């Protein structure tokens, strides 16, 4: 029964219930292609667990008369759940794929277990989705142990104790406003108009600045010294959104409002993280106001500590990569600001990032991929403007490297004259890029077609990207070549659904980035560009593709989940490498994972195969 | 409570494992028209003190039953015999049963009677069955004076007869288990070895039926031809 112990739901069942299962179980063998269960057999009589081998679900497709494989059940997995619980025949033909042994119990024994064992019942009634839940829970609980808190960042804001917020009108003198805060022992007061709409916020920090910088007397109406237009969220927003907004704007408080924008309460950074020593907002603020490069460099280790804590607090991998991206953005911006202060090149520009940073999918292991889109000032040629910008960009690239953003080996950096261009030059550049789709250009597509503005005005980029998208949408040949290129990255599964190991890494390892995530990223990019989706982030691209009707919502959900799980396993591996003081790498040995994670990884790769099949069909590759 | 004790005393008087009456044991069945898809087969593995039936003894018996091509895990047999006087230093390394485990075993007579009753005269399969057959028959004769012959089928012969092209890299149980990717939970533990042998038997029966052998006698005919072919190759 050691075998059962390794798999859900048996891993969490009592010994007595496990023994009940074992005593009533029988073992059957099915050779390759033997039918295990079929819709013609009537209501399902047995509950099965795959002991060895695989079961394939087949459904006849009415449209084209072909047979589709709808699912695969591998070692340790149970079937058929829905049909057995619903006491009906299965709708899918279950067929053995390869030599397969199944343990099974009869309906009566199944019912007994269902009524007596809670974990077993939960598992059967929730079906496969609980498997994914378990992985997420495990990822969280591992890091959670050190912190000891169960607060999740998915918690809606309305659940945080929203005290009756302390409010006042704009004409109240600061002295009285502070007195009111003092009486209620709070650090902030919201200034509202007659309809209770928040118009500003005044915090103890504002008071400190006001006194220190002698901005006015304590009799000044609070409306003159408050922070206007405070950030607001509705009560349905979750703690994660609140934390991200706080980090972005460096505020420690935000207002919670109802649908009519009337104030309901105030959430402070401390409310969100009172039990948790996560100081995302503080960290972002410290980075954003650092006055020296060496301060920024020293803050980078804090980012890694924060990621660990964030994983602990139940942030999913999508949330964590966004946090890393946010903090990276703040760092890049600050390096640029400090350099402009020291040595303004005098040419207005937008700082572009490409590749994973452009997609907002950075993890701790990150390269610099950046460029400059400038506006040529009157009376200057493009070359003259470039001459002013290049030395500036070089300093910025070097300083970013000191902050931990590795210099790009392919010289895809703003200090490269070929990537420091005016809007017109960039447009020409992309025309050549798309028309002359050389193999080298196709390799670069993963970098340059995922871009974003980090600093400077956004409009020049929007204008440029709009033209690029329109051109790609019209160019079917380029799309097809992109699709062909995306097919070069195959998910690491063999024909027999075993892991295919990376050819270049250590023995028995999988490259989670190039073999695991890249098939999703590359394939989704082709669909996104072909459908005029402007977002660069892979998950957001999939959402937009669903909205545009290009992806089936259920498929897209499965793909998003699979992508996020691979990302989560990768990030956990990174944290563990950091803990051991090893250099970060994307290679992992699947044997190091627990059986549940291994299964999840395999299923996630299978989803990548399905996504690629869609690409193959769409472009007839 | 009192009732329980009374029942227990009654059981002790009748013998530890219930009442076994040698006279009521089933007669061993021959390999006849029993359908493979219905009949019950015993798959057995013995642990012994050594390799010589003349001087060595049985110390553990593991067996599972296959009924209608299904292994029912509640229809198993796993016993360690009580033989404290035996010197087992020779093979103790292979099967891992030490003297303490042995002394906790069942009395030999009880165990063997129980086994006969459980087997119910059904055909017995074993890996290299000649070995198990000699030990078991000798033990049955010496302990119980039982001398009826069961039908024996050698799984080590059945597998190559049904999968002639399999490249197993050897003729041992481990070779075949590896060939079919079977997991052996505890090698050289009678019950675990019996289970692996039974799993291999299921694989063989599945294929045999597809090749048209549907009854036990058809299966033994197939084995008979296989044996003759092997002999011809030797010449």
């Amino acid at each position: 029964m050691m075998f059962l112990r390794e798999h859900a739901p048996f891993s969490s069942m009592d010994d007595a219930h496990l023994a009940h299962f074992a005593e009533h179980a029988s073992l059957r063998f099915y050779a390759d292609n033997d039918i295990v269960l079929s819709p013609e057999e009537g209501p399902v009589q047995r509950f099965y667990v795959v002991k060895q081998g695989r079961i394939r679900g087949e459904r006849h497709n009415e449209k084209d008369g072909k047979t589709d494989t709808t699912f695969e059940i591998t070692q340790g997995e149970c079937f058929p759940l829905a049909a057995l619980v619903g006491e009906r025949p299965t709708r899918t033909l279950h067929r053995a794929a390869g030599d397969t042994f199944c343990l099974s119990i009869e309906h009566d024994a199944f019912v007994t277990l269902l009524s007596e064992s809670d974990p077993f019942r939960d598992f059967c009634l929730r079906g496969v989705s609980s498997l994914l839940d378990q992985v997420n829970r495990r990822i969280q609980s591992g890091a959670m142990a050190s912190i000891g808190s169960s607060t999740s960042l998915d918690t809606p804001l309305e659940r945080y104790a929203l005290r009756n917020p302390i409010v006042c009108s704009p004409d109240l003198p600061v002295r009285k406003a502070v007195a009111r805060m003092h009486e209620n022992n709070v650090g902030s007061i919201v200034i509202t108009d007659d309809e209770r709409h928040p118009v500003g916020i005044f915090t103890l920090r504002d008071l400190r600045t006001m006194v220190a910088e002698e901005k006015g007397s304590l009799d000044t109406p609070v409306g003159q010294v408050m922070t206007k237009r405070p950030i607001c969220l509705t009560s349905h927003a979750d703690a994660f959104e609140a934390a991200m907004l706080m980090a972005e704007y460096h505020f420690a408080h935000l207002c919670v409002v109802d649908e009519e924008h009337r104030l309901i309460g105030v959430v402070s950074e401390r409310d969100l993280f009172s039990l948790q020593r996560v100081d995302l907002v503080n960290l972002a603020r410290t980075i954003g106001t650092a006055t020296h490069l060496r301060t920024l460099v020293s803050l980078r280790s804090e980012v890694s500590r924060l990621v660990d804590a964030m994983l602990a607090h139940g942030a999913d991998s999508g949330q964590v990569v966004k946090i890393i991206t946010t903090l990276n953005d703040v760092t890049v911006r600050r390096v640029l600001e400090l350099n402009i202060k020291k040595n303004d090149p005098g040419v207005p520009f937008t700082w572009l990032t490409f590749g994973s940073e452009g997609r907002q999918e950075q993890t701790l292991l990150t390269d610099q991929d950046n460029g400059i889109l400038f506006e040529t000032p009157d009376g200057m040629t493009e070359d003259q403007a470039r001459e002013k910008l290049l030395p500036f960009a070089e300093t910025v690239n070097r300083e970013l490297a000191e902050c931990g953003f590795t210099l790009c080996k392919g010289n895809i950096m703003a200090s490269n004259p070929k990537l420091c261009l005016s809007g017109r030059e960039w447009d020409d550049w992309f025309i050549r890029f798309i028309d002359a789709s050389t193999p080298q250009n196709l390799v670069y597509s993963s970098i340059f077609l995922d871009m974003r503005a980090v600093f400077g005005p956004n409009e020049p980029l929007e204008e440029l990207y709009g033209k690029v998208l329109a051109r790609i949408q019209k160019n079917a040949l380029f799309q097809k070549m992109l699709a062909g290129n995306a097919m070069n990255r195959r998910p690491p599964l063999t024909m027999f659904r075993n892991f295919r190991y990376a050819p270049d890494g250590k023995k028995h390892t999988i490259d989670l980035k190039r073999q695991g995530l890249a098939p999703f990223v590359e394939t989704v990019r082709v669909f996104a560009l072909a459908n005029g989706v402007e977002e660069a982030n892979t998950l957001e691209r999939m959402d937009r593709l669903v909205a545009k009707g290009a992806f089936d919502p259920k498929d897209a959900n499965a793909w998003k989940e699979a992508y996020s799980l691979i990302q989560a396993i990768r990030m956990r591996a990174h944290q563990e490498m950091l803990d051991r003081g090893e250099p970060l790498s994307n290679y992992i040995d699947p044997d190091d994972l627990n059986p549940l994670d291994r299964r999840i990884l395999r299923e996630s790769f299978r989803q990548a195969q399905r996504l690629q099949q869609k690409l193959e069909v769409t472009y007839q590759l | 409570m009192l009732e329980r004790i009374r029942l227990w005393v009654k059981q002790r008087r009748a013998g530890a494992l219930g009442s076994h009456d040698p006279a009521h044991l089933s007669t061993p069945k021959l390999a006849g028209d029993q359908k493979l898809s219905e009949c019950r087969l015993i798959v057995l593995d013995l642990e012994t003190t050594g390799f010589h039936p003349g001087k060595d003894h049985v110390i553990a018996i593991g067996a599972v039953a296959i009924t209608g091509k299904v292994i029912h895990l509640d229809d198993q047999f796993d016993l360690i015999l009580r033989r404290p006087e035996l010197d087992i230093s020779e093979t103790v390394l292979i099967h891992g049963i030490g003297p303490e485990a042995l002394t906790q075993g069942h009395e030999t007579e009880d165990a063997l009677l129980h086994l006969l009753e459980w087997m119910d005269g059904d055909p017995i399969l074993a890996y290299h069955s000649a070995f198990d057959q000699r030990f078991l028959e000798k033990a049955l004769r010496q302990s119980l004076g039982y001398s009826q012959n069961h039908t024996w089928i050698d799984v080590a012969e059945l597998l190559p007869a049904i999968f002639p092209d399999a490249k197993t890299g050897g003729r041992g149980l481990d070779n075949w288990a590896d060939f079919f990717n079977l997991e052996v939970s505890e090698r050289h533990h009678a019950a675990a070895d019996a289970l692996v042998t039974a799993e291999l038997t299921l694989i063989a029966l599945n294929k045999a039926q597809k090749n048209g052998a549907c009854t036990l006698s058809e299966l033994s005919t197939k084995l008979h031809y296989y044996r003759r072919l092997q002999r011809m190759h030797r010449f």
Side-chain angles (χ1 to χ4, degrees):
Chain A
M1 290 300 108
M2 290 299 289
F3 158 75
L4 288 176
R5 277 257 172 261
E6 286 182 4
H7 299 284
F10 309 103
S11 46
S12 43
M13 277 164 65
D14 288 348
D15 283 344
H17 296 136
L18 210 58
H20 179 86
F21 181 92
E23 277 161 21
H24 290 82
S26 61
L27 186 63
R28 285 145 204 266
F29 171 74
Y30 305 93
D32 189 25
N33 268 327
D34 279 1
I35 290 173
V36 181
L37 259 183
S38 89
E40 284 89 57
E41 289 169 25
V44 177
Q45 294 302 326
R46 309 189 73 87
F47 169 82
Y48 298 82
V49 186
V50 179
K51 177 169 182 273
Q52 184 195 329
R54 274 181 303 131
I55 301 289
R56 199 167 59 217
E58 286 180 359
R59 226 171 253 199
H60 191 72
N61 192 329
E62 303 278 328
K63 268 183 246 159
D64 53 10
K66 279 194 223 146
T67 307
D68 295 337
T69 296
T70 56
F71 54 73
E72 291 221 2
I73 301 167
T74 57
Q75 196 174 35
E77 290 180 295
C78 310
F79 68 96
L81 290 172
L84 196 61
V85 173
E87 304 194 325
R88 59 166 172 80
T90 170
R91 299 200 177 115
T92 318
L93 184 74
H94 290 62
R95 201 188 271 285
D99 289 345
T100 303
F101 281 95
C102 292
L103 282 166
S104 79
I105 54 173
E106 281 187 44
H107 193 257
D108 286 354
F110 173 77
V111 170
T112 309
L113 276 181
L114 206 61
S115 61
E116 287 180 3
S117 168
D118 291 340
F120 189 75
R121 182 172 53 245
D122 283 357
F123 180 85
C124 294
L125 298 184
R126 281 197 296 157
V128 182
S129 67
S130 77
L131 197 70
L132 301 177
D133 289 351
Q134 284 193 22
V135 175
N136 278 328
R137 235 179 284 141
R138 191 190 296 254
I139 287 169
Q140 290 161 18
S141 66
M144 187 97 73
S146 60
I147 312 262
S149 159
S150 60
T151 318
S152 160
L153 284 173
D154 286 333
T155 313
L157 286 180
E158 58 191 352
R159 293 263 295 280
Y160 285 91
L162 293 176
R163 298 167 301 271
N164 221 358
I166 306 308
V167 295
C168 67
S169 58
D171 49 13
L172 194 74
V174 169
R175 186 191 308 276
K176 288 196 171 168
V178 175
R180 201 174 286 181
M181 287 157 71
H182 181 70
E183 279 161 32
N184 291 283
N185 195 25
V186 292
S188 66
I189 188 162
V190 182
I191 295 89
T192 56
D193 63 14
D194 298 341
E195 275 127 61
R196 217 177 153 80
H197 296 151
V199 294
I201 192 164
F202 186 77
T203 66
L204 289 179
R205 203 153 63 97
D206 295 330
L207 176 68
R208 200 174 65 198
T209 321
M210 194 183 120
V211 172
E213 295 180 5
E214 293 177 6
K215 276 185 178 166
S217 78
L218 290 177
D219 295 317
T220 317
V222 70
Q224 287 180 19
V225 287
M226 68 185 183
T227 306
K228 294 198 177 77
R229 286 185 302 277
I231 37 175
C232 297
L233 278 173
T234 67
S235 56
H236 305 302
D238 57 32
F240 179 70
E241 278 176 74
M244 292 308 289
L245 275 177
M246 287 180 184
E248 200 172 333
Y249 294 103
H250 310 330
F251 288 148
H253 295 82
L254 58 79
C255 301
V256 182
V257 293
D258 64 12
E259 265 78 36
E260 271 97 49
H261 206 72
R262 282 187 305 244
L263 184 71
I264 308 174
V266 176
V267 171
S268 76
E269 184 191 356
R270 276 175 53 203
D271 290 335
L272 291 182
F273 303 119
S274 55
L275 301 167
Q276 316 157 0
R277 279 161 283 144
V278 174
D279 37 10
L280 168 65
V281 184
N282 189 29
L283 183 55
R285 187 187 299 134
T286 317
I287 294 174
T289 55
T291 48
H292 287 95
L293 178 66
R294 61 169 188 278
T295 322
L296 286 174
V297 174
S298 69
L299 284 169
R300 292 299 294 177
S301 64
E302 295 289 308
V303 174
S304 149
R305 200 183 55 76
L306 180 74
V307 169
D308 205 11
M310 276 300 185
L311 281 170
H313 290 130
D316 70 25
S317 63
Q319 293 175 338
V320 176
V321 287
K322 276 209 166 164
I323 289 167
I324 296 176
T325 308
T326 302
L327 292 175
N328 284 350
D329 284 359
V330 174
T331 308
V332 172
R333 271 184 216 131
R334 193 58 192 163
V335 169
L336 283 162
E337 281 164 5
L338 287 177
N339 273 292
I340 288 176
K341 223 185 252 177
K342 253 189 299 186
N343 196 358
D344 190 346
V347 180
F349 68 91
T350 304
W351 185 268
L352 306 175
T353 61
F354 306 111
S356 65
E357 202 182 345
R359 289 192 300 273
Q360 302 181 282
E361 288 164 8
Q362 280 179 304
T363 56
L364 293 172
L365 180 61
T366 186
D367 257 10
Q368 285 191 44
D369 289 323
N370 45 44
I372 284 179
L373 163 58
F374 64 80
E375 199 182 311
T376 321
D378 289 336
M380 235 190 247
T381 65
E382 282 159 339
D383 283 333
Q384 283 170 332
R386 194 168 9 257
E387 237 165 78
K388 286 187 177 296
L389 281 166
L390 284 176
F392 169 83
E394 205 165 307
T395 317
V396 172
N397 284 147
R398 198 183 55 238
E399 293 191 359
L400 284 176
E402 286 180 48
C403 290
F405 301 88
T406 324
L407 287 171
C408 173
K409 292 185 200 96
N411 199 18
I412 298 170
M413 290 189 290
S415 56
N416 180 346
K418 289 176 189 160
L419 299 176
C420 177
L421 305 174
S422 71
R424 195 188 55 79
E425 287 172 322
W426 271 116
D427 197 34
D428 284 350
W429 190 94
F430 271 107
I431 292 178
R432 270 177 282 135
F433 183 83
I434 294 166
D435 288 349
S437 30
T438 61
Q440 184 61 24
N441 277 359
L442 287 172
V443 172
Y444 280 145
S445 65
S446 69
I447 300 166
F448 293 112
L449 293 176
D450 300 338
M451 62 175 165
R452 193 167 57 91
V454 172
F455 181 87
N458 206 21
E459 294 76 21
L461 176 66
E462 279 171 19
E463 195 190 322
L464 171 68
Y465 203 57
K467 288 189 223 165
V468 171
L469 272 179
R471 241 171 247 133
I472 294 175
Q473 271 187 285
K474 273 185 275 176
N475 192 333
L477 180 69
F478 183 68
Q479 287 178 28
K480 184 157 181 165
M481 291 185 73
L482 271 185
N485 185 57
M487 294 303 293
N488 289 340
R489 292 241 187 267
R490 293 285 183 166
L493 289 179
T494 64
M495 255 174 69
F496 303 106
R497 302 277 185 256
N498 287 321
F499 291 116
R500 185 162 49 77
Y501 299 112
D504 46 352
K506 267 191 284 176
K507 262 196 174 170
H508 268 256
T509 58
I510 288 177
D511 185 338
L512 286 180
K513 185 183 176 192
R514 299 222 311 256
Q515 292 182 285
L517 296 171
F520 286 99
V521 173
E522 308 264 312
T523 311
V524 168
R525 178 186 308 111
V526 182
F527 283 116
L529 294 173
N531 287 284
V533 170
E534 284 155 21
E535 278 76 6
N537 181 272
T538 302
L539 295 171
E540 283 169 14
R541 275 176 169 168
M542 287 199 253
D543 283 340
R544 296 282 300 135
L545 284 165
V546 171
K548 289 189 178 245
F551 278 7
D552 172 77
K554 270 190 195 158
D555 281 347
N557 263 340
W559 293 331
K560 278 164 63 186
E561 196 156 33
Y563 174 82
S564 303
L565 286 164
I566 300 174
Q567 185 73 275
I569 290 174
R570 173 180 175 223
M571 289 199 311
R572 206 169 22 156
H574 280 178
Q575 282 315 121
E576 286 168 10
M577 289 169 198
L578 276 183
D579 286 349
R580 291 194 298 262
E582 293 169 8
L584 294 184
S585 115
N586 289 313
Y587 293 95
I588 60 142
D589 183 346
D591 288 344
D592 291 344
L593 299 174
N594 63 52
L596 189 61
D597 283 352
R598 240 188 338 260
R599 258 161 76 195
I600 290 298
L601 202 57
R602 194 178 291 128
E603 178 60 21
S604 299
F605 291 155
R606 206 178 67 78
Q607 291 296 344
Q609 286 180 329
R610 284 189 52 228
L611 178 58
Q612 285 197 338
Q613 276 161 14
K614 186 177 169 68
L615 194 69
E616 275 179 310
V617 172
T618 310
Y619 288 97
Q620 293 166 8
L621 296 170
Chain B
M1 187 67 194
L2 211 70
E3 192 57 32
R4 260 217 198 136
I5 293 172
R6 202 176 297 148
L7 203 77
W8 180 75
V9 170
K10 206 173 142 196
Q11 272 182 354
R12 290 302 304 170
R13 282 200 187 129
L17 293 153
S19 52
H20 303 294
D21 185 351
H24 288 100
L25 288 171
S26 314
T27 319
K29 293 156 194 158
L30 296 172
D33 288 343
Q34 301 101 307
K35 286 219 172 78
L36 291 179
S37 56
E38 290 167 6
C39 71
R40 184 169 180 267
L41 301 168
I42 304 297
V43 182
L44 177 126
D45 187 78
L46 301 180
E47 305 297 338
T48 60
T49 51
F51 298 105
H52 309 288
K55 63 175 212 258
D56 291 318
H57 300 274
V58 178
I59 47 180
I61 303 171
V64 295
I66 297 176
T67 310
K69 297 200 299 170
V70 175
I71 300 172
H72 292 275
L73 297 183
D74 56 347
D75 198 6
Q76 292 196 52
F77 194 90
D78 185 7
L79 277 182
I80 295 173
L81 301 183
R82 184 191 284 251
R83 293 312 257 304
E85 77 281 8
L86 292 178
D87 174 21
I88 49 156
S89 53
E90 190 183 331
T91 52
V92 74
L93 282 175
I94 297 182
H95 49 59
I97 298 174
E100 301 97 294
L102 271 183
T103 51
Q104 287 161 12
H106 293 268
E107 297 293 346
T108 309
E109 288 80 3
D110 270 347
L112 291 176
L113 256 178
H114 186 54
L115 176 67
L116 280 174
E117 205 174 56
W118 176 78
M119 293 200 300
D120 198 26
D122 291 319
I124 306 171
L125 290 88
Y127 203 89
H128 291 310
S129 60
F131 173 84
D132 301 84
Q133 184 176 0
R134 249 173 290 161
F135 269 96
L136 187 65
E137 283 176 352
K138 185 189 146 208
L140 289 173
R141 203 168 47 244
Q142 287 184 348
S143 306
L144 302 173
Y146 181 94
S147 58
Q148 298 198 58
N149 292 325
H150 281 76
T151 301
W152 287 79
I153 297 173
D154 189 358
V155 180
E157 195 175 59
L158 181 68
L159 287 165
I162 287 174
F163 299 98
D165 300 326
K167 292 196 173 46
T168 53
R171 285 154 59 195
L173 180 59
D174 286 332
N175 299 112
W176 283 99
D178 284 349
F179 180 75
F180 286 110
N181 281 319
L182 301 184
E183 273 177 32
V184 189
S185 59
E186 233 183 308
R187 189 73 174 86
H188 296 296
H189 175 283
D193 280 358
L195 187 63
V196 174
T197 312
E199 288 178 5
L200 288 169
T201 307
L202 286 190
I203 297 177
L205 293 182
N206 181 298
K207 184 76 188 294
Q209 260 192 317
K210 285 181 183 146
N211 292 351
C214 293
T215 63
L216 263 184
S217 66
E218 281 164 358
L219 193 67
S220 49
T221 313
K222 204 173 168 60
L223 279 176
H224 180 67
Y225 284 128
Y226 172 75
R227 233 171 276 140
R228 278 173 58 183
L229 266 172
Q230 289 297 102
R231 240 174 271 139
M232 278 162 63
H233 282 309
R234 236 172 273 156
F235 286 119

